Amino acid sequence: MAKRRSASAKCCDDASPCVLPSDQSAEQFASLAWALAHPARVRIVRLLISRDTCVCGEIVDEMPLAQSTVSQHLKILKESGLVQGEVDGPKVCYCINPEKLAMLKSLVASL
Amino acid sequence: MAKRRSASAKCCDDASPCVLPSDQSAEQFASLAWALAHPARVRIVRLLISRDTCVCGEIVDEMPLAQSTVSQHLKILKESGLVQGEVDGPKVCYCINPEKLAMLKSLVASL
DNA sequence: GTCCTTTATCGTTGATCGACGATATTATCG
DNA sequence: CGATAATATCGTCGATCAACGATAAAGGAC
């Protein structure tokens, strides 16, 4: 949602980036907020922060959701940049991206 | 979205609150994040913070959106508790709810 | 009382979310 | 190479978002 806003006339023409005029920062903010706008994703992020060791499929076990659903949430988190995935054999280890997390904190703190 | 999660089996039965098990805080977090998960709402919140005087329909002028759309966003912000509206004659003045804002900052900072 | 202004609500439409099961993908192991 | 395990992706479905225009509602002004 935060990424590809529907280009509904009036806001932007053809090739323009379609950010609300003069506020690209709001886009960035909303994009990060969006990543955490779902309880499951909040839990995942908290989990990843708490465990320095990047977990992988343990996340699925922690959540009352299907594996595919968790995978989708992870994808969203990855797209937001808050989370990074690293392939480790057949598994994938996820971890927090500290820079993005710091950026989020900074953006919120400077509200 | 943050409020009435679709109750899709498996997660909760009849009258249960349907929070992800043992994490009601994630619900609260997500609810606040959701309020700011749209660039327009980020801009509105920033606007309200910058102007100590609670603005009203000026918000509409600041945004490239229809009046009804802005009103909808304001409704969402009000429901999140981040913003309060106060009737002033025919106009309505909006302002930030400092407590909710503080709560948001606290939740994010303690990530 | 009637107009005008301001804001909220309604109704619609298209797009996206969020959930799931089923299936594809990829890598290790025997 | 074939089987197994771990993830990702696909396809679907119902619900919600986000936008708009049109209309209702409420208060002030003349």
Side-chain angles (χ1 to χ4, degrees), chain A residues 26-56:
Chain A
E27 286 276 342
Q28 188 183 37
F29 193 123
S31 168
L32 283 173
W34 166 247
L36 292 173
H38 191 287
R41 295 197 288 271
V42 173
R43 292 192 60 187
I44 291 175
V45 166
R46 283 179 169 163
L47 196 77
L48 291 181
I49 290 177
S50 71
R51 310 201 185 180
D52 49 331
T53 155
C54 305
V55 288
C56 43

Side-chain angles (χ1 to χ4, degrees), chain B residues 52-86:
Chain B
D52 49 330
T53 153
C54 306
V55 287
C56 42
E58 304 168 305
I59 300 175
V60 175
D61 299 333
E62 293 282 347
M63 317 272 304
L65 296 172
Q67 176 266 324
S68 57
T69 305
V70 173
S71 189
Q72 259 190 171
H73 283 303
L74 284 168
K75 187 179 182 180
I76 290 175
L77 285 170
K78 233 183 335 184
E79 283 173 354
S80 81
L82 263 179
V83 158
Q84 293 168 321
E86 189 179 332

Side-chain angles (χ1 to χ4, degrees), chain B residues 1 8 56-57 67-68 71 90-92 94:
Chain B
M1 165 205 269
S8 68
C56 42
Q67 176 266 324
S68 57
S71 189
K91 306 184 179 182
V92 176
Y94 287 98

